[in-house]
Amino acid sequence: MPEPAAEIHARAVAAAIDGHLSAPAMTEWEIFPWEVVGGAIAPKALAAPGVEAPRAGEQGGEPCSSCAGFDPDTIVWEDEHWVLTAALEPSGLPLVLVLHTREHEDAGEIDDDLASEFGRISNRLVRIIQGLPGIGRLHVNRWGDGAEHFHVWFFARPAGFAQIKGSYAVEWDDILPPVDDAVRRADLHTVATKLANWGGHARA
Ligand SMILES: [Zn+2]
């Protein structure tokens, strides 16, 4: 079961220097929208628009890594049409999962049967993961700005932290020290087993 909030807090306090955790790599990303100006945080100037670079899997983009095959060690659950993965290494939130179509399809292009399956799987994941002790919410995010191949993110945030809410939970995933991987893997096993009650195969 996920760590209690008090343990997450104790680990964060222990990892902090002068009360602050290290700034994650995202602060160096081009898309990071903030900078320090005169000692205060300010939005960066908006650059002029241009032509968007092709995403992975699109014409002219990098080859599709999903079509090249999923690393078996990342697969949590799968069936004929879907593959649910988790990163090899833990991050700051208790659970982060990605649901991919097996075939190369873009969001908005999957047929109604597949879209219905997506809705059912998503709903089950919300029910299963929000049912774990200490989980406040499972956020469901489709970005799709990096790769064309249909993939949707699921971010489980811990309960009880006033700061770890909404889209900022995604940033805390990179800010918080990584969770204990043995705890995470036990939770992934629970999720996979429960999801497989409706079909498919638990792999975690
Ligand atoms: Zn693909």
Side-chain angles (χ1 to χ4, degrees), residues 116-160:
S116 299
E117 289 178 14
F118 168 67
R120 287 195 288 269
I121 295 168
S122 296
N123 194 49
R124 288 164 190 161
L125 283 173
V126 170
R127 191 184 323 157
I128 291 166
I129 295 174
Q130 287 187 182
L132 296 173
I135 300 299
R137 198 85 56 217
L138 183 70
H139 295 303
V140 183
N141 294 306
R142 179 257 167 175
W143 312 117
D145 280 338
E148 181 178 61
H149 195 121
F150 185 103
H151 63 292
V152 172
W153 292 83
F154 295 84
F155 293 93
R157 70 155 177 86

Side-chain angles (χ1 to χ4, degrees), residues 64 66 70 82-83 98-110 114-115 118 142 147-152:
C64 179
S66 299
F70 297 97
W82 300 95
V83 182
V98 188
L99 182 65
H100 320 251
T101 50
R102 199 170 281 287
E103 300 298 324
H104 190 104
E105 313 224 34
D106 199 355
E109 302 298 329
I110 60 175
L114 213 52
F118 168 67
R142 179 257 167 175
E148 181 178 61
H149 195 121
F150 185 103
H151 63 292
V152 172

Side-chain angles (χ1 to χ4, degrees), residues 52-65 104 146-148:
E52 293 204 18
R55 301 175 295 170
E58 282 183 334
Q59 188 77 29
E62 296 287 317
C64 179
S65 62
H104 190 104
E148 181 178 61

